[in-house]
Amino acid sequence: QVQLVESGGGSVQAGGSLRLSCAASGYTYSTSWMGWFRQAPGKEREGVAAISPGGSTTYADSVKGRFTISRDNAKNTLALQMNSLKPEDTAIYYCARGMGWVPSASSLQTNKYNYWGQGTQVTVSS
């Protein structure tokens, strides 16, 4: 079955960096859109970054220039490099697998993804 397992979360001071990883199994990873989402307490889950099977990327405006999504199709892994972290980046971060072909314009929408990892906590202190 499809499994997505995130790792790499933790606590960091503002301005610091973290790298999240997601290990995927149980499906053909190389042909799937993948995304990173986050959910802060009391807020809805929101899209952070997405990447197509060919490596095209989409970012939320709030993280552009600070976060970088990448994938390794040989190792079935997804990564999110987060730099210049801010307290407002504090959330649980999830990786997700897209449902079939995902149009770039909607690649940060949660309803385009049907499998989710368990999440990893990121806490940024000021």
Side-chain angles (χ1 to χ4, degrees):
Q1 71 276 22
V2 175
Q3 283 195 318
L4 300 169
V5 181
E6 302 98 336
S7 61
S11 297
V12 64
Q13 289 193 327
S17 298
L18 283 173
R19 184 177 178 85
L20 306 183
S21 296
C22 174
S25 61
Y27 67 102
T28 306
Y29 176 80
S30 61
T31 61
S32 296
W33 274 80
M34 296 296 296
W36 284 102
F37 294 78
R38 66 187 181 187
Q39 188 165 17
K43 295 188 176 181
E44 291 189 355
R45 191 170 298 188
E46 64 176 358
V48 173
I51 188 166
S52 74
S56 298
T57 58
T58 308
Y59 294 95
D61 288 343
S62 59
V63 306
K64 278 180 182 176
R66 300 188 298 123
F67 290 11
T68 302
I69 187 172
S70 61
R71 66 188 299 159
D72 185 332
N73 287 342
K75 297 181 178 180
N76 288 5
T77 57
L78 181 73
L80 184 69
Q81 178 65 43
M82 305 186 294
N83 298 329
S84 302
L85 282 161
K86 304 175 181 180
E88 51 263 43
D89 294 318
T90 295
I92 298 174
Y93 283 70
Y94 301 89
C95 68
R97 173 199 174 191
M99 291 187 288
W101 185 255
V102 179
S104 294
S106 55
S107 59
L108 297 181
Q109 295 177 9
T110 57
N111 62 3
K112 300 301 183 186
Y113 295 78
N114 58 350
Y115 287 96
W116 299 81
Q118 82 288 350
T120 186
Q121 176 71 47
V122 171
T123 303
V124 184
S125 58
S126 57

